[in-house]
Amino acid sequence: MDFPILETERLILRQLTPNDAKDLFEYFSLDIVMEYYDLATFTHIGEAEEVITTFNTEFENKKGFRWAIELKDEKKVIGTCGYHNWFHEHFKSEIGYELNPKYWQKAYMKEAIQPILSFGFEKMNLHRIEAFIDPANISSEKLLLSQGFKEEGTMRDFFFEKGKFVDATIFGLIKK
């Protein structure tokens, strides 16, 4: 299967390539972006290259999809969004995303996530899409609620990240 390209008014959602490493490093190297991410803040561009390889390997192994969110006007990758932990036998997957802070509060992630949710239900045959977020990540919570996700509860000390246990609030979206 070829990697699907999705398009919105302002964005092209496409497969990440090694050429995107510079754009990813620009924001993966910022503590504010990595605060709720399960990776340490990047310190060299090689880490961005590795994360691109990881996302593309997930696709090749039919375990997920991670789209580059490219701004049409600037031909610049401003974030990524997609699926991981795809359990085919349970018709469910987990969604994840991040965005360069220069582009926060401009509804880019809301614009990107809509066709990705449709793709999940229609093409990946998902029945359930999950998101696990830090309870303090209010922006992420607002995004998920705006897309119809329901908060299902908070799991205490659910992940071990950056040397400490952290809670995770789970959100779910069921196919209509």
Side-chain angles (χ1 to χ4, degrees):
M1 171 195 229
D2 289 334
F3 195 94
I5 295 170
L6 308 174
E7 202 168 325
T8 69
E9 189 184 331
R10 302 179 291 173
L11 307 169
I12 294 174
L13 308 172
R14 58 159 176 84
Q15 188 167 22
L16 287 155
T17 73
N19 295 337
D20 299 321
K22 185 174 161 283
D23 288 345
L24 263 60
F25 181 72
E26 181 181 313
Y27 66 85
F28 270 103
S29 62
L30 303 173
D31 289 336
I32 192 170
V33 172
M34 303 310 278
E35 181 177 1
Y36 302 121
Y37 215 87
D38 62 352
L39 296 171
T41 303
F42 289 8
T43 56
H44 59 88
I45 196 143
E47 291 165 300
E49 293 163 353
E50 286 168 28
V51 86
I52 290 168
T53 300
T54 300
F55 288 151
N56 286 332
T57 301
E58 289 276 293
F59 168 69
E60 288 158 21
N61 294 333
K62 295 180 174 47
K63 291 185 177 171
F65 291 87
R66 193 73 170 210
W67 283 268
I69 301 171
E70 181 182 296
L71 208 50
K72 281 182 183 174
D73 294 348
E74 298 181 32
K75 300 265 189 276
K76 178 184 177 70
V77 174
I78 62 169
T80 74
C81 182
Y83 296 105
H84 54 282
N85 294 335
W86 183 6
F87 292 96
H88 299 255
E89 69 277 18
H90 297 296
F91 302 91
K92 72 175 186 173
S93 189
E94 193 179 324
I95 197 163
Y97 41 80
E98 86 289 322
L99 195 65
N100 185 324
K102 288 180 187 169
Y103 301 91
W104 287 1
Q105 307 300 324
K106 294 178 172 68
Y108 285 118
M109 192 57 72
K110 191 181 260 190
E111 186 175 329
I113 203 174
Q114 289 166 344
I116 288 171
L117 292 172
S118 297
F119 182 89
F121 289 131
E122 293 162 21
K123 304 288 193 246
M124 293 169 68
N125 199 25
L126 299 177
H127 176 72
R128 174 182 172 84
I129 298 171
E130 300 176 330
F132 294 88
I133 69 165
D134 187 301
N137 192 344
I138 303 304
S139 294
S140 196
E141 179 182 325
K142 284 180 181 170
L143 172 72
L144 293 168
L145 293 173
S146 80
Q147 298 308 302
F149 281 79
K150 300 280 183 258
E151 184 177 332
E152 297 178 342
T154 299
M155 288 152 312
R156 298 174 303 130
D157 289 357
F158 192 69
F159 293 114
F160 188 76
E161 294 174 356
K162 301 173 187 157
K164 66 182 194 290
F165 289 99
V166 294
D167 294 349
T169 302
I170 183 169
F171 289 80
L173 182 65
I174 307 295
K175 186 175 186 173
K176 291 181 182 66

